[in-house]
């Protein structure tokens, strides 16, 4: 039987369709605003069926421990006059507000240049805890762009794949890559999109995300990044950090999986215009062909979890 012009067995076709269905199914049945187990709040995205933040660890803890701490910005803030941040997936604005608040505690005079991307803004935005409310309100009251209080901020609304091509002469000290899970929001995780993100990074900048998905790590490696795992926050597996000026620090187990698993191939979006389902089908068919080439070995289906924001 043929799928997208490629010869696959009936078993292969069933495997492809089964995983596509699983990847596209909502991860949580709740709707609207949801209180996390930490006591703060997040929001369930109506299309992706995923929370913007971890319902286990809580939204603030996730922002701090999944993004800010592994990004290296806490150290940079102590001796740099300016911090540049590229925020992929503005979402509720939590990551940016929490980061600025915590970095200003280290250096009250540090200046910020922030560029953020978001497909569409939510209609309801749960408030952050009191210590972050002022900065969170500053962001939302002045969207899409402003220069106030030592902060230069610009939000690009729309398809990030198109909008990122409009940005030049920006060199991020850190990238918070926070789209929804790669298997539901693949257009923000392709090799080609990550190449555009790399273009806007400082040579010593650090890319961080909650995901440890194999296609994302393989794309980063192919783009010349050294990769390291970040610690687990509210889930069994940690996330991923990457930088152009560091060595690969993955464990032997992680390296072996990245080198041998048929799932360890990047999502492809050559023109940055493919529909999400097209990206997923192309990826999963290539996985199936690799599985056949490897002798029909059936590795475990890759796990994935919800991201922190939308695009």
């Amino acid at each position: 039987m043929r799928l997208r012009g490629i010869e696959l067995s009936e078993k292969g076709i069933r495997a492809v369709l089964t995983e596509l269905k699983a990847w596209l199914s909502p991860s949580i049945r709740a709707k609207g605003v949801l209180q996390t187990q930490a006591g703060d709040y997040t929001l369930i995205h109506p299309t992706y069926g995923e929370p913007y933040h971890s319902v286990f660890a809580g939204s603030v803890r996730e922002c701090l421990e999944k993004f800010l701490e592994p990004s290296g910005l806490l150290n940079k803030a102590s001796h740099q006059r300016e911090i540049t941040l590229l925020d992929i997936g503005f979402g509720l604005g939590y990551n940016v507000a929490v980061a600025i608040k915590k970095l200003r505690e280290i250096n009250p005079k540090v200046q910020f240049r922030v560029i953020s991307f978001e497909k569409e803004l939510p209609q309801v935005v749960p408030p952050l805890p009191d210590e972050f409310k002022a900065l969170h309100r500053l962001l939302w009251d002045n969207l899409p762009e402003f220069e106030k209080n030592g902060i230069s901020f610009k939000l690009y609304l729309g398809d990030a794949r198109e909008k990122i091509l409009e940005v030049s002469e920006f060199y991020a000290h850190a990238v918070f890559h926070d789209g929804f899970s790669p298997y539901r929001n693949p257009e923000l995780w392709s090799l080609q999109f990550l190449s555009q993100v790399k273009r806007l990074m400082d040579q010593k900048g650090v890319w961080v995300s909650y995901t440890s998905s194999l296609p994302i790590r393989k794309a980063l490696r192919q783009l010349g990044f050294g990769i390291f795992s970040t610690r687990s926050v509210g889930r069994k597996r940690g996330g991923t950090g990457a930088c152009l000026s560091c060595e690969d620090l993955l464990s032997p187990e992680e390296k072996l999986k990245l080198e041998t698993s048929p799932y360890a191939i990047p999502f492809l979006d050559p023109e940055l215009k493919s529909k999400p389902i097209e990206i997923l089908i192309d990826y999963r068919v290539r996985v199936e062909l690799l599985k056949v080439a490897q002798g029909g070995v059936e590795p475990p289906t890759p796990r994935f979890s919800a991201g922190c924001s939308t695009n």
Side-chain angles (χ1 to χ4, degrees):
M1 187 173 180
R2 285 183 172 271
L3 182 63
R4 292 176 62 84
I6 298 172
E7 192 76 29
L8 290 178
S9 66
E10 292 286 348
K11 180 181 178 182
I13 291 288
R14 286 196 299 272
V16 169
L17 296 178
T18 296
E19 285 199 342
L20 286 172
K21 182 179 179 181
W23 291 343
L24 294 172
S25 298
S27 66
I28 190 167
R29 297 297 176 183
K31 295 182 179 180
V33 176
L34 184 69
Q35 187 171 27
T36 74
Q37 292 184 12
D40 52 18
Y41 295 89
T42 189
L43 188 68
I44 309 302
H45 193 276
T47 300
Y48 294 108
E50 290 186 346
Y52 282 73
H53 305 88
S54 170
V55 298
F56 304 106
S59 56
V60 173
R61 182 184 168 204
E62 185 177 68
C63 295
L64 288 170
E65 298 182 19
K66 283 188 180 180
F67 291 94
L68 182 57
E69 291 177 6
S71 73
L73 291 183
L74 292 169
N75 179 59
K76 286 184 171 69
S78 66
H79 61 271
Q80 291 189 183
R81 296 177 59 186
E82 182 181 72
I83 294 292
T84 51
L85 172 63
L86 187 64
D87 180 47
I88 309 294
F90 178 76
L92 306 180
Y94 287 5
N95 281 343
V96 175
V98 169
I100 292 176
K101 174 66 167 60
K102 290 300 180 180
L103 294 172
R104 280 269 168 89
E105 289 177 2
I106 295 172
N107 181 359
K109 295 183 179 180
V110 67
Q111 307 286 297
F112 292 93
R113 291 181 63 211
V114 182
I115 287 179
S116 189
F117 297 92
E118 183 56 66
K119 188 173 184 179
E120 57 185 0
L121 294 173
Q123 297 298 309
V124 176
V125 182
L128 274 168
D130 288 346
E131 67 172 305
F132 304 106
K133 277 185 178 178
L135 275 166
H136 193 224
R137 192 73 266 159
L138 177 69
L139 291 175
W140 279 92
D141 285 349
N142 293 280
L143 293 177
E145 61 182 299
F146 66 89
E147 291 194 16
K148 291 183 179 181
N149 303 338
I151 303 168
S152 173
F153 177 87
K154 183 168 185 177
L155 174 66
Y156 287 84
L157 274 172
D159 191 327
R161 297 176 295 177
E162 298 175 4
K163 297 300 181 178
I164 200 169
L165 300 177
E166 300 176 13
V167 183
S168 61
E169 297 184 5
F170 188 84
Y171 305 99
H173 294 130
V175 177
F176 292 173
H177 203 119
D178 198 16
F180 280 115
S181 62
Y183 299 95
R184 292 192 183 92
N185 194 194
E187 65 271 30
L188 287 194
W189 303 95
S190 72
L191 176 69
Q192 290 78 14
F193 185 75
L194 287 167
S195 177
Q196 290 299 322
V197 172
K198 174 186 173 182
R199 175 178 65 85
L200 298 177
M201 289 181 64
D202 182 83
Q203 188 63 28
K204 294 184 179 180
V206 179
W207 179 99
V208 288
S209 183
Y210 64 89
T211 187
S212 57
S213 296
L214 292 175
I216 314 313
R217 288 186 166 186
K218 181 55 70 76
L220 291 166
R221 176 176 278 186
Q222 289 187 9
L223 290 169
F225 286 89
I227 306 170
F228 59 93
S229 291
T230 60
R231 64 191 179 95
S232 174
V233 182
R235 61 197 292 255
K236 290 183 179 180
R237 294 191 301 171
T240 300
C243 50
L244 296 167
S245 60
C246 64
E247 295 182 4
D248 198 304
L249 297 176
L250 296 178
S251 69
E253 258 189 275
E254 290 172 317
K255 288 181 180 179
L256 180 63
K257 187 178 290 186
L258 200 55
E259 291 163 1
T260 61
S261 172
Y263 289 92
I265 54 175
F267 294 137
L268 299 180
D269 185 11
E271 304 298 325
L272 293 175
K273 294 179 180 178
S274 299
K275 295 178 180 178
I277 189 63
E278 293 175 335
I279 298 171
L280 287 176
I281 291 173
D282 172 78
Y283 165 75
R284 188 54 186 82
V285 169
R286 287 185 290 116
V287 167
E288 194 64 27
L289 294 176
L290 282 173
K291 287 165 65 175
V292 172
Q294 292 177 1
V297 177
E298 298 281 350
T301 300
R303 297 179 180 179
F304 56 97
S305 67
C308 289
S309 58
T310 177
N311 208 38

